[in-house]
Amino acid sequence: MKRGATSTRATRERAVIAALRRPSQRRFEIDESLEELAGLVTAAGGTVVGRVTQDRDAPAPGLFFGRGKIDEIGQAARDASAVLFVSDDPLSPIQERNISQALGIKVIDRTALILDIFAQRARTSEGKLQVELAQLTYLLPRLVGQWTHLERLGGGIGTRGPGETQLESDRRVIRRKVMQIRRQLDSVQVHRRLQRQGRRRAGVPVVALVGYTNAGKTTLLNRLGGAHGRAADQLFVTLDPAARLVSPPGLAPFVLTDTVGFIQKLPAQLVAAFKATLEELAEAALLMHVVDASHPRAREQMAAVYQVLGALGLEGRPTLVALNKIDRVNEVDVFVRGLVTEGAVPVSALTGDGLPALLQGTEAALRPTRVRCRFVIPYARIGVMGAVYERGRVLARRNQMEGIELEAEVPPPLLGMLAPYRTDGSAGSNGSERVPVKEAIR
């Protein structure tokens, strides 16, 4: 179900978007959700030409919206020459088919829209596989609607025919493809596991960037790690994971990784398909939660991120909050001030303001992952000293007759190599061999 490549079309698809407001929801919540949906339509290559909301206690079983509201949507679509209708809420396959028949235009929901954007933006083979798996999982229960022209109403004798045969054939094809993709992703998972083992042997802690889509994670990765990932003021600009070594002057190095951005109503298919990628978060010593401090719904965006982290079993991970885009904030609101009081760091990934404080905060958060020791390293073993500088943080250095005395914070995997030179007590070797830092992040 590759609906991608919409961004290359000669004309942008004109779309009407709509949402249902339940009694428990406030009006501004629906308005802001529709505003975000409009941003998703734009990101997918479309243009929003109409917005509709309906107050209703519960969705209608057949059409989701009421019959009168469907007629209103159809009139709005005809007046604006729209060819697409997008529901902010998930639609069942039957509802999607019924609305499409009533309106006479293509109908999708927020989940299908996000999957379309992912299909356009995925660049690596892994990312494409993950998106295709999510799309096929989404498509499978909707196959019935693809073959309505071959169906016969009723059941029993005389009703089985080419419609059912084609439908079952397509289902088998999709199921086989899903199994094939899952096997390929399993091999990717093994490769990632080997990468993580290499990082652990290197003893360099991993800091994982998390945050709402368009919070500025890629810009921050580019700024701190010297990367050149594409960054823009759009939703889901980057999907493929990236890792960069960050070596701040005078501070211990760490590996900074980036993952897909989160969003409210993140499709369950995507969370399942991107499980291998999101497992990187479980291996991180620290989560750096990047928040768009200039966004009026920053509180709700943070809640959406924590909801996804909770679904992944990561709600208790050590976290440092980076309040990004502070250069856009004219007056800091009470919520942002409260976060700063609790230890969040105001930064601007675009201008570089606040990044030294962010690195200091990262250093402090990672300190429990290192051991403070003293060593006297013979002058003939200069390579050992190089490992301390490369993978740890040197606090003091003095030249002695027997060698170079170092006071340093080092990761536990390095203690085995340094045990013969410690002067503040010995540490048993854990059998770790040295792995160059740059090799560990490849």
Side-chain angles (χ1 to χ4, degrees):
M1 189 194 76
K2 291 193 176 182
R3 294 192 180 103
T6 52
S7 60
T8 61
R9 294 171 185 158
T11 58
R12 300 173 70 90
E13 290 187 61
R14 299 168 67 83
V16 174
I17 61 178
L20 205 64
R21 176 177 174 262
R22 281 76 163 181
S24 61
Q25 295 176 299
R26 291 170 290 184
R27 175 69 60 183
F28 75 89
E29 292 176 341
I30 300 302
D31 292 341
E32 289 178 352
S33 185
L34 274 179
E35 186 64 29
E36 184 174 80
L37 184 66
L40 290 170
V41 172
T42 301
T47 301
V48 175
V49 294
R51 305 186 188 198
V52 179
T53 59
Q54 181 179 25
D55 293 347
R56 192 179 174 93
D57 292 341
L63 290 167
F64 193 82
F65 301 90
R67 167 57 69 176
K69 186 59 65 171
I70 288 293
D71 293 340
E72 178 185 333
I73 292 171
Q75 187 61 51
R78 288 188 292 273
D79 292 344
S81 301
V83 296
L84 174 66
F85 171 71
V86 186
S87 170
D88 193 38
D89 303 280
L91 300 174
S92 70
I94 297 300
Q95 290 168 340
E96 186 176 305
R97 181 178 61 181
N98 291 344
I99 296 174
S100 180
Q101 290 175 345
L103 299 180
I105 59 177
K106 183 169 59 176
V107 173
I108 62 174
D109 57 16
R110 176 187 272 248
T111 297
L113 181 61
I114 293 175
L115 290 175
D116 183 272
I117 296 171
F118 273 50
Q120 294 181 51
R121 304 283 169 80
R123 294 292 178 265
T124 65
S125 58
E126 177 188 357
K128 292 175 182 178
L129 283 173
Q130 290 170 323
V131 171
E132 187 175 3
L133 176 60
Q135 288 181 313
L136 290 174
T137 304
Y138 177 81
L139 174 62
L140 192 57
R142 287 166 167 75
L143 278 180
V144 175
Q146 310 294 323
W147 295 101
T148 52
H149 63 293
L150 296 176
E151 288 180 349
R152 302 178 187 179
L153 296 178
I157 297 174
T159 62
R160 290 176 286 272
E164 182 178 5
T165 302
Q166 183 65 60
L167 181 61
E168 290 304 317
S169 175
D170 282 2
R171 280 174 173 162
R172 283 195 296 272
V173 169
I174 289 181
R175 289 189 182 112
R176 283 198 298 267
K177 184 64 174 176
V178 166
M179 292 177 62
Q180 178 185 353
I181 292 175
R182 284 176 174 160
R183 285 194 294 267
Q184 291 177 277
L185 287 176
D186 285 344
S187 65
V188 170
Q189 201 167 3
V190 171
H191 177 66
R192 286 193 172 279
R193 191 177 300 119
L194 293 174
Q195 284 183 320
R196 291 193 292 266
Q197 290 173 355
R199 291 171 187 170
R200 284 195 292 269
R201 289 199 304 271
V204 180
V206 175
V207 178
L209 291 168
V210 297
Y212 208 79
T213 180
N214 201 32
K217 298 187 303 300
T218 301
T219 304
L220 189 59
L221 180 70
N222 291 344
R223 174 72 70 166
L224 293 178
H228 302 285
R230 179 172 176 254
D233 190 13
Q234 291 180 355
L235 303 177
F236 295 123
V237 171
T238 54
L239 299 178
D240 301 311
R244 293 293 183 271
L245 178 66
V246 180
S247 301
L251 303 178
F254 60 90
V255 174
L256 188 63
T257 65
D258 191 12
T259 55
V260 62
F262 300 153
I263 195 170
Q264 295 186 61
K265 306 177 185 176
L266 187 68
Q269 295 92 338
L270 280 178
V271 176
F274 278 75
K275 182 179 178 182
T277 300
L278 294 174
E279 279 182 351
E280 295 287 327
L281 303 179
E283 296 292 326
L286 177 69
L287 302 182
M288 185 177 291
H289 185 176
V290 183
V291 179
D292 182 356
S294 68
H295 200 282
R297 301 279 287 171
R299 184 194 303 269
E300 286 73 17
Q301 291 186 352
M302 289 186 71
V305 171
Y306 287 130
Q307 182 178 5
V308 177
L309 292 177
L312 296 170
L314 301 173
E315 59 269 45
R317 304 293 296 180
T319 304
L320 175 64
V321 177
L323 296 170
N324 193 29
K325 303 186 184 181
I326 205 69
D327 54 301
R328 296 186 180 182
V329 178
N330 295 324
E331 183 178 346
V332 180
D333 62 21
V334 175
F335 175 64
V336 172
R337 282 199 298 269
L339 290 174
V340 174
T341 303
E342 295 172 3
V345 183
V347 300
S348 171
L350 184 65
T351 66
D353 292 341
L355 293 187
L358 182 64
L359 289 171
Q360 289 289 348
T362 304
E363 170 75 18
L366 292 176
R367 194 163 293 138
T369 67
R370 298 189 297 271
V371 180
R372 185 164 180 166
C373 309
R374 281 195 180 87
F375 315 94
V376 175
I377 301 175
Y379 291 105
R381 302 303 305 274
I382 197 70
V384 174
M385 186 175 67
V388 177
Y389 273 94
E390 182 183 22
R391 297 156 65 183
R393 181 191 180 200
V394 175
L395 305 175
R397 169 176 171 165
R398 289 175 290 274
N399 293 333
Q400 306 288 358
M401 290 292 295
E402 64 274 22
I404 300 174
E405 181 181 2
L406 293 179
E407 182 178 352
E409 294 176 346
V410 297
L414 200 58
L415 293 177
M417 179 197 302
L418 296 172
Y421 315 110
R422 288 189 63 172
T423 60
D424 60 344
S426 62
S429 173
N430 57 8
S432 299
E433 58 177 317
R434 185 185 178 202
V435 179
V437 173
K438 292 182 180 178
E439 292 295 324
I441 66 171
R442 287 180 183 173

